[in-house]
Amino acid sequence: MSTISEFELLAQEAAGCVKCPLSEGRTNVVFGAGSPQADVMFIGEAPGFHEDQQGLPFVGRSGNLLTKLCGEIGIEREDVYIANILKCRPPENRDPLPSEIETCTPYLDRQIDLIQPIVVVTLGNFATKYLLQTTAGITTIRGRRFRWRDATLIPTLHPAAALRGGATRLAEMREDFQTILRTIEHVRTAKHEAAFSDVSDDLTPQPIS
Ligand code: URA
């Protein structure tokens, strides 16, 4: 007899969620994908059309870029966990509303508590502002490393911004992914403290001015 894990229970709870009006327009709840044992977690904004259709995060154009950038630094999607701030697609892919973020993020908070990632990558403004509780824009703080709970958090651009922003934005994302790679390498050699030794950024968790 197999027992249902706390993580699966949480996914089931989210699958039936009707806490906000986004539930009325969704095809699928996009809870997340990947290994709940992952050391590395990517957090995006909200499902788009393809994600809503398939019930999986980052499977459209942005997802293709994310998968490509991960591949360039030797990361397979199956080895990380990918989730979003919102679990349901906002109409016309509009920005998440503050009320939707407030209602939905307890699911993300519990996902993070259960996964306990060592490296957290926030993709774009919404994830970065929520986790770091900062008002700083993503272009200002991208690529820096922050001590966040027991993890190292690295904000980078949302892949959609890189797709819109052309070569410059893409190059910035590639630069950030090198930082992600270096950080993963450090923590994987079980020297978590060493991950911070060459960092000159402000590692104060929050608030950040
Ligand atoms: N953009 C996101 O932020 N998340 C997805 O899952 C897809 C596109």
Side-chain angles (χ1 to χ4, degrees), residues 4-17 29 31 107:
I4 280 200
S5 71
E6 213 177 323
F7 200 75
E8 286 162 354
L9 282 173
L10 181 61
Q12 283 180 11
E13 186 186 326
C17 182
V29 168
F31 180 68
Y107 290 118

Side-chain angles (χ1 to χ4, degrees), residues 160-180:
L163 287 170
R164 277 194 309 269
T168 309
R169 292 294 181 223
L170 194 54
E172 287 171 348
M173 262 193 111
R174 284 211 161 91
E175 198 178 293
D176 298 347
F177 270 65
Q178 287 304 315
T179 303
I180 294 165

Side-chain angles (χ1 to χ4, degrees), residues 15-51:
C17 182
V18 287
K19 288 185 184 147
C20 89
L22 292 183
S23 61
E24 291 160 22
R26 76 177 175 229
T27 313
N28 286 294
V29 168
V30 180
F31 180 68
S35 167
Q37 277 81 43
D39 286 342
V40 183
M41 192 165 174
F42 285 83
I43 303 173
E45 182 179 313
F49 174 81
H50 296 285
E51 291 76 20

Side-chain angles (χ1 to χ4, degrees), residues 121-190:
V121 180
T122 51
L123 300 163
N125 267 315
F126 283 92
T128 304
K129 288 183 175 180
Y130 175 69
L131 290 194
L132 286 180
Q133 291 292 297
T134 179
T135 54
I138 190 64
T139 49
T140 313
I141 59 170
R142 56 151 277 270
R144 288 171 56 184
R145 296 196 281 187
F146 297 85
R147 198 187 289 267
W148 184 81
R149 300 189 191 168
D150 292 330
T152 301
L153 187 152
I154 304 160
T156 188
L157 299 169
H158 192 285
L163 287 170
R164 277 194 309 269
T168 309
R169 292 294 181 223
L170 194 54
E172 287 171 348
M173 262 193 111
R174 284 211 161 91
E175 198 178 293
D176 298 347
F177 270 65
Q178 287 304 315
T179 303
I180 294 165
L181 175 60
R182 276 192 294 124
T183 307
I184 292 170
E185 284 171 348
H186 275 124
V187 296
R188 288 243 162 103
T189 52

Side-chain angles (χ1 to χ4, degrees), residues 30 44-48 51 56-59 62 84 158:
V30 180
E45 182 179 313
E51 291 76 20
L56 292 168
F58 283 102
V59 289
S62 291
N84 283 307
H158 192 285

